[in-house]
Amino acid sequence: AGRAEKTLFIVTSLNGFELLEHRGLGSGWTVFEESIRVPLVLHADGALPEAEIATPISLVNFLPTVISLVGLDDDGSPREGQTLFEPMGEVYQFAAPEGARIAEVVIPERCIVRSATVDGVKYVSSSLWADPGARFAAAQSHKDTANAFASGAQPLPPLWGANAFEATFNLRADPLETTNLLQTNSSAADRARAVLTAYREHCAAQGIAPRVATQFESALDAEQLENL
């Protein structure tokens, strides 16, 4: 139909998936690389030259990149992230984003975990952590826990609580995150902690208020439950 020449094609994913790299199976529990690394393929006919780019980027850069590539007007509203491509004549060239990479999984019913990666060193911090052996039970009770929060029977955990789990990994030397360097590389951990502290302050000033907890309702009515 002749539309491909004016279309930006994007292939990506919401999250990665654990396949026992750290004894876990599934998603939505950690920010290890197998959980947060996803594919990203972009194609814009004539505008993006063919290239395979190894530089890690963050999904926070996704929105400004799309806005730039499709030529949308900037409405001046506050926007996080950086565009990943800069115009060079009639084509766009990749521009590596600056700063740390931050990842987080915040599910108050089961886990609150964040990471900051600075110069190839990744720091992981969690205030609500479930080891692989405890995750099945946590998943099974997810609805009951959420309902307890919604009804006020159980207080919500703080979004920024004391650390229940900490680790530091050198991704260049140890891409599978097998060796925790927290005790031997304290300076790198301190730099990453400072990044997360600044991120926390940014969230307090600019973040969207958490949604009000709502109770899960049964998909079946009383008669159907009785019949079952």
Side-chain angles (χ1 to χ4, degrees):
R3 297 192 181 101
E5 294 81 1
K6 299 180 180 180
T7 301
L8 171 63
F9 295 90
I10 303 168
V11 179
T12 188
S13 175
L14 178 65
N15 53 260
F17 200 86
E18 293 180 85
L19 290 172
L20 303 179
E21 292 88 347
H22 291 88
R23 299 187 297 117
L25 184 67
S27 62
W29 293 100
T30 79
V31 289
F32 290 127
E33 291 296 288
E34 61 267 16
S35 295
I36 65 174
R37 290 195 66 170
V38 297
L40 177 59
V41 181
L42 298 97
H43 174 78
D45 195 35
L48 294 177
E50 285 191 20
E52 182 175 334
I53 299 167
T55 304
I57 62 110
S58 297
L59 290 181
V60 71
N61 300 316
F62 203 71
L63 179 60
T65 297
V66 171
I67 288 174
S68 172
L69 289 177
V70 301
L72 290 177
D73 292 332
D74 190 340
D75 61 5
S77 60
R79 187 172 294 127
E80 297 178 345
Q82 308 164 52
T83 180
L84 298 174
F85 296 92
E86 297 291 346
M88 299 286 291
E90 296 183 355
V91 298
Y92 286 81
Q93 295 292 334
F94 176 73
E98 300 176 352
R101 284 190 300 136
I102 296 174
E104 63 182 342
V105 179
V106 179
I107 306 175
E109 298 87 25
R110 67 186 195 183
C111 67
I112 299 175
V113 57
R114 298 178 176 89
S115 71
T117 303
V118 184
D119 296 330
V121 177
K122 179 178 179 181
Y123 168 73
V124 178
S125 170
S126 175
S127 59
L128 185 60
W129 177 265
D131 285 318
R135 292 176 190 172
F136 179 78
Q140 291 295 102
S141 62
H142 181 96
K143 182 175 73 172
D144 293 336
T145 306
N147 285 340
F149 291 155
S151 66
Q154 183 174 332
L156 276 165
L159 295 183
W160 298 85
N163 286 327
F165 174 84
E166 278 189 294
T168 302
F169 303 98
N170 185 335
L171 295 182
R172 292 169 180 160
D174 179 26
L176 298 181
E177 299 166 291
T178 59
T179 305
N180 185 352
L181 301 176
L182 186 66
Q183 303 303 321
T184 59
N185 197 348
S186 58
S187 60
D190 289 341
R191 288 197 302 272
R193 285 193 191 100
V195 169
L196 289 182
T197 297
Y199 175 63
R200 177 179 182 175
E201 294 170 352
H202 171 79
C203 290
Q206 304 289 339
I208 300 171
R211 62 177 172 81
V212 177
T214 56
Q215 289 197 343
F216 285 86
E217 295 185 3
S218 173
L220 305 176
D221 59 31
E223 182 180 356
Q224 290 171 318
L225 288 172
E226 179 65 25
N227 290 337
L228 286 172

